[in-house]
Amino acid sequence: AFGTDTGGSVRQPASYCGVTGIKPTYGRVSRYGLVAYGSSLDTVGMFARSAEDVALIFQHMAGCDSRDATSMDTSVPAYTPLPAGQSLKGLRIGVPREYFIPGMQAEVENAVRAAIAQMENLGASVHPVSLPHTEYALPVYYLIAPAEASANLARYDGVRFGLRKPADELKQLYFDSRGAGFGPEVKRRIMLGTYALSAGYYDAYYGQAQKVRTLIKRDFEQAFEQVDVIATPVAPTTAFRMGEHSDDPLAMYLEDVFTLPINLAGVPGLAFPVGFDQNNLPIGMQLMGPDFREDLLFRVAHTYQQVTDWHLRKPTLAV
């Protein structure tokens, strides 16, 4: 299956459902034909049962597209076949302390640390790294993404794009069409973004957020000078019940705390299952790599999946 990952919308569902999902490097896969949401963040990702299956799909999707101005003109390596061996000898795995936070579900932390230990048993070396600006990723994202959404979704006015509601005059057509066509969360983000871009607030909010984004990107660049990949949880908890956060958007946004930074940095991330909690709900681990090193993420996850069966197990169905 395919999905768009702007702040975690491929990796989180993959983690919650016990499958493998990739968020590619920004510009690695064409976005031609998508509805634009956050133009500097949007990527097209994919889900499959295993890293090997994701790599097979990715091989045919990666590459430059002249119809997408953000598509990067870089060569596409052979992502498949993946190596059949069970060794990670020489691989350096970074573990950032900023991603193991108070309040995290204990089963999530234990499962991710056990997976890292398994990789160490396969020959990898584990190193502590620091991504000091991680704590700012959540507020930075929720300034930049709504601001870009506000601009992008302005075209859905009932005239050129989107739903059209009959009205007696043009202004009412805009109001009625956008009011009926957008749901509560979309409206909330448009209003947040419009406020952040408004006169008198642009420099204080959007401008500052872009500066901090640069610092977040720099954190990753410095970390990848020391290690080959970075291993973290995908989310602080396993899947929450449907509608559980409907009345508390902030609680819902906090689920994104581990996925947002790499969208801001533009680097690739792969989510795959590494365990289950006591309710038989899947636990996902996230591997991050340098720009355009999806091949490395596939290799590491595939090697792990050769010696474990988490990706073959099915969660309990619950609503």
Side-chain angles (χ1 to χ4, degrees):
F2 304 111
T4 52
D5 192 313
T6 306
S9 296
V10 166
R11 288 159 291 149
Q12 271 193 44
S15 175
Y16 291 156
C17 297
V19 297
T20 304
I22 183 101
K23 177 265 169 197
T25 306
Y26 183 81
R28 174 83 284 187
V29 174
S30 173
R31 303 184 306 191
Y32 180 74
L34 295 186
V35 172
Y37 168 55
S39 299
S40 71
L41 302 159
D42 292 341
T43 58
V44 177
M46 55 225 63
F47 307 85
R49 175 64 69 186
S50 66
E52 184 175 32
D53 287 348
V54 174
L56 284 168
I57 306 168
F58 197 72
Q59 185 72 65
H60 295 282
M61 294 187 65
C64 184
D65 181 0
S66 60
R67 293 169 297 185
D68 177 4
T70 66
S71 181
M72 300 295 288
D73 188 9
T74 58
S75 60
V76 178
Y79 295 112
T80 58
L82 292 170
Q86 297 180 357
S87 174
L88 293 175
K89 186 175 182 180
L91 180 77
R92 300 170 299 168
I93 300 176
V95 180
R97 59 179 175 79
E98 293 87 357
Y99 281 70
F100 295 88
I101 58 176
M104 181 191 301
Q105 187 176 330
E107 294 158 300
V108 171
E109 178 170 354
N110 293 339
V112 171
R113 290 196 183 278
I116 294 170
Q118 178 73 64
M119 292 177 182
E120 195 171 16
N121 291 337
L122 294 172
S125 59
V126 177
H127 309 270
V129 295
S130 181
L131 300 169
H133 295 94
T134 297
E135 64 179 302
Y136 303 113
L138 194 71
V140 165
Y141 175 89
Y142 280 105
L143 282 169
I144 292 175
E148 294 181 357
S150 171
N152 280 322
L153 298 181
R155 72 193 70 176
Y156 292 89
D157 55 11
V159 176
R160 295 165 295 174
F161 297 94
L163 176 75
R164 176 179 292 189
K165 296 288 286 183
D168 294 331
E169 51 95 19
L170 185 61
K171 191 172 182 180
Q172 195 62 44
L173 171 69
Y174 293 156
F175 287 165
D176 293 348
S177 297
R178 291 172 67 80
F182 292 137
E185 183 59 30
V186 176
K187 292 176 183 176
R188 181 182 294 118
R189 297 193 185 198
I190 289 173
M191 288 189 290
L192 284 171
T194 303
Y195 180 82
L197 292 174
S198 60
Y201 295 102
Y202 180 97
D203 291 333
Y205 292 106
Y206 184 77
Q208 286 295 103
Q210 290 288 18
K211 292 176 183 177
V212 179
R213 181 183 190 172
T214 300
L215 298 178
I216 293 170
K217 171 69 171 174
R218 195 171 299 158
D219 285 348
F220 281 97
E221 292 171 348
Q222 292 172 351
F224 287 129
E225 292 174 359
Q226 308 168 47
V227 296
D228 301 305
V229 297
I230 295 173
T232 76
V234 177
T237 68
T238 52
F240 47 88
R241 299 182 71 84
M242 291 178 65
E244 185 175 339
H245 297 324
S246 297
D247 298 327
D248 189 356
L250 182 57
M252 183 170 62
Y253 297 163
L254 287 171
E255 291 288 332
D256 303 338
V257 66
F258 299 148
T259 55
L260 299 177
I262 76 168
N263 292 87
L264 294 167
V267 300
L270 183 74
F272 55 96
V274 295
F276 285 78
D277 70 7
Q278 63 181 351
N279 296 316
N280 200 36
L281 293 174
I283 297 169
M285 174 174 166
Q286 177 176 226
L287 284 179
M288 312 171 187
D291 289 339
F292 302 106
R293 288 308 311 272
E294 289 86 357
D295 60 317
L296 180 58
L297 303 184
F298 292 141
R299 180 174 73 84
V300 176
H302 176 68
T303 303
Y304 175 81
Q305 290 177 341
Q306 297 309 291
V307 298
T308 62
D309 66 350
W310 299 117
H311 62 295
L312 301 177
R313 301 190 193 183
K314 293 185 178 181
T316 298
L317 295 177
V319 293

